[in-house]
Amino acid sequence: MRSSRTSASPRTPHTSRWLAIGLLSCASALVACGKEADQDQKKAADAARAIRGQKSGGGSDAAAGVPSISPAAMLERSRPLFGALPAVAESPDNPITDEKVALGRMLYFDKRLSKNHDLSCNTCHDLASFGVDPRQENDALLPTSKGHRDQLGERNSPTVYNAAFHIAQFWDGRAQDVEEQAKGPILNPVEMAMPDEATVEKVLASIPGYVEAFSAAFPDEPNPVTYDNMAKAIGAFERKLVTPAPFDRFMQGDTTALDEKQLYGLQLFIDSACVTCHTGPSLGGNAFQKLGNVKPWPTKVADLGRFVVTQAEADKYSFKVPGLRNVAKTGPYLHDGSVATLDEMVRLMVAHQTPRGELQPNEVEAIVAFLDSLTGEPPAELIAEPSLPQSGPDTPGPDPA
């Protein structure tokens, strides 16, 4: 299972301030006595800055901790860039109802939507594991998910939490929304491997409990058990998979929601130009970007990314910018799952995607601490596995072929 990442506690701010005041007071006393006033005052000021974790030249000193940052000033600076996460990802094309959500929740967990009855949406997007695939081999998380007959997918399974806020779905953006995305894996021969939409509809129509649930969710339709309505129900469920976090409390005005190291990490995140791509309430998910945009990526990128969808030369090696919600819990990282730790992912991103270049270790640590403030609370009332309707006499059985 994923191990939680913790950061070292920052230096106590009150201690730093009092030490700084003491040093400055000593400098003032020397000035009063007329003993090399200018030189001693400079030394005292330098020492005070060092205690606060700042070099006299303005940078961060790894050995001295983190700088003291005004939460109110950082809130004012960051609010226009991000904002708090909405409670629900609404869609005018698929209004959310309790009946749709209840049906979508059952469908999300139902393995009968796969050819061999051994895979569900939740298999690769486990809601108890922050919406990603928790399966391991050799004590390491799988970079990509296993599907029908243990075939490995080509891309890492991104989290489903908060995904409905994104501009598009899948790494290459080939699905417009979560409703369209829900149709893909079920028919993908590498994933759930159902042969066609008609087969899925036949399975659903053979289960009496689903016939009733579809009728309740789509009461105005004479034949509600359709593949499109299945996708709408799953989409309505996923639109409620929202995880508010400490960062949202900060965005809403609680200046105590982030600790000093997280505030420093947020400052570095902005100053390092991470916000060129990672903006909005999801901190991403609203654009496509080439991997190695500023500096060539250190390993060969074989996946052509969005180019496969658009055939536009400019889209080669471009992928949807992932949202950073719950990113501390959703590794491994990148489209191919090739980066195991968040520390390494932060280092690589800043070095190759921004003009900032290499980060110092304490800066990586601070940004990771900030990103942990995006770890939210999954909606417990939605993510527990529901009771599923029983198969009918004509429900097809598993097919391992």
Side-chain angles (χ1 to χ4, degrees), residues 374-398:
L374 301 173
T375 301
E377 189 67 34
E381 71 279 6
L382 292 179
I383 68 173
E385 185 166 358
S387 297
L388 301 179
Q390 293 183 351
S391 295
D394 297 324
T395 303

Side-chain angles (χ1 to χ4, degrees), residues 339-349 364:
V339 179
T341 70
L342 185 55
D343 297 64
E344 181 67 2
M345 191 71 257
V346 168
R347 187 189 69 78
L348 287 168
M349 279 286 115
V364 172

Side-chain angles (χ1 to χ4, degrees), residues 18 92 144 221 233 258 278:
W18 283 116
T144 63
E221 299 189 21
L258 304 188
H278 294 283

